[in-house]
Amino acid sequence: MMAPVLDGSRLAGCYCQSFVRESRIPWPKACAFSRLSKDFSHNSLISSTAKFTSSPVPFLGVGCVIKKKGINVLSPDISALNLASEFLYACDDEYDGVIIDPESLPSSANAFVSALRASLSNWKTKGKKGVWLKILSEQADLVPIAVQEGFTYHHAEPGYVMLTYWIPDEPCMLPASPSHQIGVAGFVLNDKREVLVVKEKCPCSCSGVWKLPTGYINKSEDIFLGAIREVKEETGVDTIFQEMVAFRHAHLVAFEKSDILFVCMLKPLSSEITIDEKELQAAKWMPLDELLEQPFYLEDHMSRKVIDICIKAYEDQYSGFIARQLNSKLDGKSSYLYYNELKNISSIVM
C-alpha cells in the first residue's frame, strides 16, 4: 500500500497515513531527435526523426532502455571550458521546448558542461523555451553541474531525477511537479448490515479506531480498482464496485502535498477475513449501529458524514458516481468517466 508520490497520515478516521503547482503547459507527448553538429552554424544541423512507442511521454517516465555509463570527471574546473563542442542530443516538444536524450549524455563532466552550455546558447537563439533534462542514477555526478548551470529540480523517481531550465526572461510556464496523492476508502456492507472495518498498525490519530479499509492507488490504476484491491489486500474479502459516493480534498498533508480520498461503495462477494498482519491489528464485520456509536465517530464530523452518506447510498436515498469506460478524441484512448447517471444524459454518454 504505497503512495504513487508520497505516503502520509490518513485523516478523518477513515484515512490514516504512514509517512512515506498547477500545470499550465501539458507534458510533451512526442518529439523528433535532432543530432546537432560541432559548431554553432544553424546550416550545419543534421536531423533525424524517431517515433516513440515505449512511453506516451518521452524520457519523462519508464520505458527507455538504460545503458550503464561511468562518469569520468576529467577536471574539477568547469568554469573555463572551450565551448566549441558538440551539442546535446535532443528532441523538440510540442510547446517550443526541448527534451534532452538521457542515453546520450557525455560521460565526462567537462564534455557535459561544454555541450550543455553550447546547447543552451543554441536553443536560446532558436527561441526555445523549456528544457527537460533527465539524469539517470548512474549519471548522478552530472546533477550538481546542471544545477550550477541554472537547472532546477522538478521531480525524481527510482532510477532518475528530472531537472528543468526555462530559457525566456519571463515567468516559467512549465508544469510543476506532482502535487497530489490519491487515496481510496472502501465501504463494504453485507446483507446483515455489517460493515467491514479494520484497525491499523500505526501511531497516528486513528490508532485503535475501527475504520474503513483505505490505501493509495498504484501508478496507472483506476480509482475503483484501487479500492477493490486495497480491501482484498488488507482483509482478503472479494468485492465489486458499485459507486463512488464522496471524496475529501485536504492540503499540506505529507511534505506539504495535497491529498484526495475517494470513498467507494463496494459489494462483498465473500465474507471470510484474512488480514494483512503487516498493516493491520485486526479486521471484522461490525454491526453498523455499533460502528456509529464509537466515540470517534460521535466527535469527528468528517468521518461521521462519510458513513452517513454511505448508508444513504446503500438504502437508495443517495446516488453517487458510476464508472463508465469511454473513448476520447483528445488523446485517442479509453478511460473511465465518473458521473451520476441521470436519465437526461444517459443517451449522450452511453
Side-chain angles (χ1 to χ4, degrees):
M1 188 178 67
M2 297 298 292
V5 178
L6 297 169
D7 211 1
S9 118
R10 289 173 203 166
L11 304 177
C14 61
Y15 202 32
C16 177
Q17 300 167 354
S18 54
F19 274 96
V20 245
R21 183 179 86 180
E22 63 196 5
S23 299
R24 290 160 287 182
I25 293 180
W27 292 84
K29 297 178 180 178
C31 63
F33 276 126
S34 296
R35 177 65 174 101
L36 307 182
S37 66
K38 290 187 177 182
D39 56 45
F40 291 96
S41 171
H42 294 172
N43 297 326
S44 62
L45 299 182
I46 304 173
S47 64
S48 61
T49 61
K51 184 177 180 182
F52 294 91
T53 57
S54 60
S55 171
V57 182
F59 308 130
L60 298 184
V62 297
C64 60
V65 178
I66 297 177
K67 301 176 182 178
K68 300 297 181 183
K69 298 180 180 179
I71 304 299
N72 302 315
V73 182
L74 303 182
S75 169
D77 182 10
I78 61 173
S79 60
L81 297 174
N82 181 7
L83 296 183
S85 58
E86 290 190 357
F87 297 157
L88 297 173
Y89 280 101
C91 63
D92 295 336
D93 64 21
E94 297 177 350
Y95 310 100
D96 295 324
V98 294
I99 304 168
I100 299 172
D101 177 16
E103 296 295 332
S104 63
L105 294 179
S107 59
S108 77
N110 288 352
F112 173 69
V113 72
S114 293
L116 185 61
R117 289 174 179 176
S119 298
L120 289 174
S121 177
N122 178 63
W123 293 328
K124 184 175 183 179
T125 64
K126 289 178 174 293
K128 296 299 181 181
K129 296 180 178 179
V131 181
W132 297 89
L133 172 59
K134 180 178 181 179
I135 297 181
L136 307 178
S137 296
E138 57 268 33
Q139 303 164 329
D141 288 351
L142 301 181
V143 172
I145 299 173
V147 171
Q148 181 177 326
E149 295 302 309
F151 279 78
T152 58
Y153 293 101
H154 188 270
H155 69 274
E157 291 193 17
Y160 76 90
V161 60
M162 182 69 73
L163 298 97
T164 61
Y165 186 98
W166 185 249
I167 297 175
D169 186 18
E170 59 187 38
C172 178
M173 297 297 291
L174 293 175
S177 60
S179 61
H180 284 68
Q181 55 188 17
I182 307 299
V184 288
F187 182 82
V188 187
L189 194 65
N190 62 21
D191 294 336
K192 301 177 182 179
R193 290 181 66 87
E194 296 172 327
V195 61
L196 182 62
V197 292
V198 301
K199 275 187 181 180
E200 295 203 353
K201 288 182 176 179
C202 67
C204 54
S205 59
C206 63
S207 178
V209 175
W210 288 106
K211 56 182 285 295
L212 303 182
T214 59
Y216 292 99
I217 62 172
N218 293 329
K219 187 174 183 178
S220 301
E221 183 178 42
D222 290 301
I223 294 170
F224 74 95
L225 292 177
I228 292 172
R229 174 188 53 76
E230 281 294 339
V231 169
K232 176 66 174 181
E233 289 179 355
E234 291 191 355
T235 69
V237 175
D238 294 307
T239 62
I240 57 172
F241 173 74
Q242 292 183 302
E243 57 186 320
M244 180 189 297
V245 296
F247 67 89
R248 182 230 57 205
H249 194 191
H251 304 288
L252 301 178
V253 179
F255 301 104
E256 300 185 350
K257 298 296 182 180
S258 297
D259 183 288
I260 302 179
L261 171 69
F262 292 94
V263 182
C264 298
M265 175 167 286
L266 308 175
K267 182 179 179 179
L269 299 178
S270 62
S271 59
E272 183 177 350
I273 294 176
T274 304
I275 69 168
D276 180 354
E277 296 183 353
K278 295 180 180 179
E279 296 188 17
L280 301 183
Q281 298 180 41
K284 68 177 181 178
W285 294 99
M286 176 182 287
L288 197 51
D289 292 340
E290 182 181 339
L291 176 66
L292 295 175
E293 289 171 359
Q294 287 191 94
F296 182 87
Y297 290 96
L298 295 175
E299 300 170 358
D300 188 280
H301 300 296
M302 176 80 74
S303 299
R304 178 60 181 248
K305 190 64 175 181
V306 167
I307 301 300
D308 287 344
I309 292 172
C310 290
I311 295 172
K312 294 296 184 183
Y314 178 80
E315 296 174 345
D316 291 328
Q317 299 181 42
Y318 174 90
S319 181
F321 286 176
I322 63 170
R324 186 63 53 85
Q325 195 169 25
L326 300 167
N327 294 320
S328 172
K329 286 188 175 182
L330 294 177
D331 57 10
K333 297 179 180 179
S334 178
S335 57
Y336 282 94
L337 177 69
Y338 295 83
Y339 63 94
N340 187 295
E341 194 169 27
L342 301 176
K343 292 183 179 179
N344 61 342
I345 67 168
S346 58
S347 61
I348 298 177
V349 297
M350 288 296 289

